[in-house]
Amino acid sequence: MVAELEFEKPLVELRRKIQELKEFMKTADVDLSAEIEKLEARLAKLENEIYANLTPWDRVQIARHPQRPTTLDYIERLFTNFLECHGDRCFGDDEAIVGGIAKYDGLPVTVIGHQRGKDTKENLRRNFGMPHPEGYRKALRLMKQAEKFSRPIICFIDTKGAYPGKAAEERGQSEAIARNLFEMAGITVPIVCIVIGEGGSGGALALGVGNHIHMLENSTYSVISPEGAAAILWKDASLAQRAAETMKITAHDLKALGVIDEIIPEVKGGAHRNADEQAKEIDRVLRRSLKQLLALDGEELVRQRYEKFKQMGQVSFLPETIRAR
Amino acid sequence: MWKDLFVKKKKYAPLPSEQARHEVPEGVMTKCPQCKKIMYTKELIKNLRVCLSCGYHHPMPARERIASLLDDGSFREYDADMISVNPLGFPGYIEKLEEDRRKSGLNEAVVTGEGALYGHPLVIAVMDSSFRMGSMGSVVGEKITRAVERAREQQMPFLIFTASGGARMQEGVLSLMQMAKTSAALKRFSNDGGLFISVMTHPTTGGVSASFASLGDYNFAEPGALIGFAGRRVIEQTVREELPDDFQTAEFLLKHGQLDAVIHRHELKETLAVVLDLHQKGGEEGWWRN
């Protein structure tokens, strides 16, 4: 059963009513089909209205939906022969990140992504998709391996952030993230990054230095969670809804800010409604991306990636007359 | 009433009047947050802002840092006039920037430029926590990136002093992307054999510690500096475990293998000179030459 979200309540009501009428028609000998048809038309209209006017906060809810497809859901649907490779060869295997080798319609690739769980048990195993340093180091190991064997790299981004814990700090969470940013910048094979859920800060970016960056329509990508931003800026985490708007974290916002390349459309109601269809939408964009990037050689790929990130940000200059000092 | 005669009048500590409180002009004296001793600011500055009594390293303004390290008159500033805009239309951001510009005398949270240290030419970037807590937005990222690019072009070492609360909230995801931008510039620089020395000062946290600050060929820190990815409070709330007193200090990081050395501010210049000297291009004549 797919959990309903707050803004979907009117739809739930209407669907229930339609269901009731249908049941009633079966038992009682009354023809309500005209009535049902009318309601169904209204439902369709309401659906269109609601899903076409999602607020940033609605999208945050969809991005966090417990049943939202995860990295492994997409790997299963987009690739064949996936072989998961474990461990960072230094400390351990962090199951908050999965990675391995696979075929993408015949093409050998390396796939890496944050992995969260859909229930408590799996979330504990996956640490809610919040990696420790060894997770990032595993990812980097696999990327270097992909570079050695000239395989493109596909990264799925889906994390609340890198794990804030004592052990993570001791083992160098900062260094692990920084190292990935640094090394990814120099990788000589194509890197395509796709934000499929939450893109939480440095913990997301550590898999995000790609030649192309795409986002699912209802995913988010931000420097801090709306709750965190509200707590810091207004000392009140309950203002998260407002922060979600102010912080500009939706796919459309990021496209406007020049951070991402493409917005991947989601199935109506969100990716969790139909993972198979959603995978097909991703497939279209991923294929196009790879086709473009595979035409570039290593040096061009590194340069393209450099220029891409170099232009991110907005600055201005003081007029000559009022320069300080 | 009779009773009142026997009841001792309560004594109150005299509170200085509003006027009296301001009798000591602001800044003449400084109280050390560690040992609580009060000392002349002038003397503290002369001692490179190291507490005269307990050795606590007070935050050092960027310009003082540059003056303390570089040869007289050698510093030439880059991009001094670059200022922030408000890309998200964040309420109140422009006003805050203006206020900090006035208070700190800086245009942004980092000063970059080139100069010489004991004759060694280098490109330097110094962050200043008095401007927006040293947070990194587009300008900080861009200035550092440009400085690294110039170091690369001129084949000079790059030296950075970090002091930052992390990414700047008000510029949202653009601040986040500065982490990737600066790291990419350092990668290029490194591939060309460039020497990068990172000196982390109090505090170096969040997006700054998780990007360029940690990417030095040599990662140094000043004693007692707070360095870490996640804030202590956040960690305590998530894991509900007791954190050691020295958690996320320079000494803690050194113990856990995250730093090359912790260096006292009084020994910093000499140490940097040694490192720079060891990396001179070409090298000297000697017995190892045939």
Side-chain angles (χ1 to χ4, degrees), chain B:
Chain B
M1 294 281 273
W2 274 106
K3 225 165 81 186
D4 291 343
L5 289 175
F6 300 101
V7 175
K8 254 193 182 172
K9 249 195 173 171
K10 261 191 190 161
K11 276 184 184 159
Y12 293 100
L15 272 175
S17 67
E18 197 59 36
Q19 194 197 347
R21 251 185 270 169
H22 288 292
E23 253 174 11
V24 180
E26 214 177 307
V28 166
M29 307 296 287
T30 300
K31 187 176 177 184
C32 174
Q34 187 167 280
C35 71
K36 314 289 180 212
K37 284 239 171 73
I38 294 172
M39 61 204 85
Y40 280 109
T41 306
K42 249 189 200 164
E43 277 181 35
L44 183 66
I45 292 174
K46 228 170 93 186
N47 202 36
L48 300 181
R49 293 193 187 258
V50 175
C51 175
L52 298 140
S53 134
C54 73
Y56 176 81
H57 285 48
H58 291 250
M60 200 173 191
R63 308 231 176 253
E64 273 179 48
R65 176 76 70 179
I66 290 165
S68 78
L69 291 172
L70 298 192
D71 303 343
D72 277 349
S74 71
F75 182 66
R76 201 164 64 79
E77 190 170 348
Y78 299 155
D79 305 309
D81 54 347
M82 197 190 290
I83 54 164
S84 294
V85 294
N86 191 1
L88 306 191
F90 204 96
Y93 182 39
I94 292 292
E95 291 73 21
K96 280 189 171 136
L97 288 168
E98 269 163 18
E99 191 186 322
D100 277 13
R101 224 174 281 150
R102 208 171 48 244
K103 275 190 193 159
S104 67
L106 297 166
N107 284 335
E108 252 297 338
V110 69
V111 176
T112 58
E114 61 183 66
L117 190 153
Y118 286 137
H120 297 287
L122 51 78
V123 173
I124 188 171
V126 184
M127 302 186 83
D128 195 313
S129 58
S130 65
F131 191 101
R132 299 273 87 216
M133 285 167 60
S135 62
M136 171 161 65
S138 299
V139 171
V140 170
E142 182 64 19
K143 279 177 92 169
I144 290 172
T145 302
R146 288 186 184 196
V148 175
E149 285 178 342
R150 289 170 98 147
R152 177 172 171 259
E153 283 156 22
Q154 303 179 90
Q155 301 190 6
M156 286 194 215
F158 179 61
L159 170 64
I160 197 164
F161 284 83
T162 62
S164 175
R168 191 173 295 172
M169 301 294 131
Q170 292 88 345
E171 290 187 33
V173 78
L174 292 181
S175 299
L176 183 67
M177 293 303 146
Q178 303 310 309
M179 294 168 64
K181 178 155 97 180
T182 51
S183 302
L186 286 167
K187 173 66 181 172
R188 246 195 191 183
F189 179 59
S190 178
N191 280 356
D192 284 4
L195 165 67
F196 171 36
I197 306 169
S198 172
V199 184
M200 296 176 234
T201 73
H202 182 76
T204 296
T205 58
V208 166
S209 95
S211 60
F212 52 85
S214 299
L215 292 172
D217 295 299
Y218 303 93
N219 289 337
F220 299 133
E222 288 194 332
L226 172 78
I227 304 162
F229 177 67
R232 188 189 180 105
R233 249 186 320 150
V234 177
I235 297 174
E236 276 171 343
Q237 280 164 9
T238 351
V239 296
R240 298 182 196 288
E241 69 180 303
E242 196 73 24
L243 297 171
D245 284 341
D246 71 343
F247 187 61
Q248 293 183 326
T249 59
E251 293 72 17
F252 175 89
L253 265 80
L254 183 70
K255 197 167 73 191
H256 287 283
Q258 304 298 330
L259 291 173
D260 289 288
V262 175
I263 302 169
H264 194 283
R265 198 174 282 166
H266 288 164
E267 274 133 42
L268 204 50
K269 189 173 175 179
E270 306 303 320
T271 309
L272 291 170
V274 169
V275 177
L276 290 166
D277 183 58
L278 279 165
H279 290 80
Q280 282 204 75
K281 290 264 157 73
E284 288 163 51
E285 286 301 308
W287 56 263
W288 56 89
R289 295 251 187 243
N290 286 319

Side-chain angles (χ1 to χ4, degrees), chain A residues 137-177:
Chain A
R137 290 174 181 140
K138 168 171 71 177
L140 184 58
R141 180 176 76 78
L142 296 176
M143 289 190 233
K144 288 280 187 187
Q145 184 191 62
E147 185 178 39
K148 175 180 172 187
F149 295 108
S150 305
R151 287 192 290 263
I153 300 164
I154 296 135
C155 292
F156 291 108
I157 294 171
D158 185 17
T159 183
K160 289 183 184 303
Y163 188 67
K166 180 166 168 262
E169 296 288 325
E170 286 172 347
R171 298 201 285 275
Q173 188 74 289
S174 286
E175 197 273 345
I177 294 171

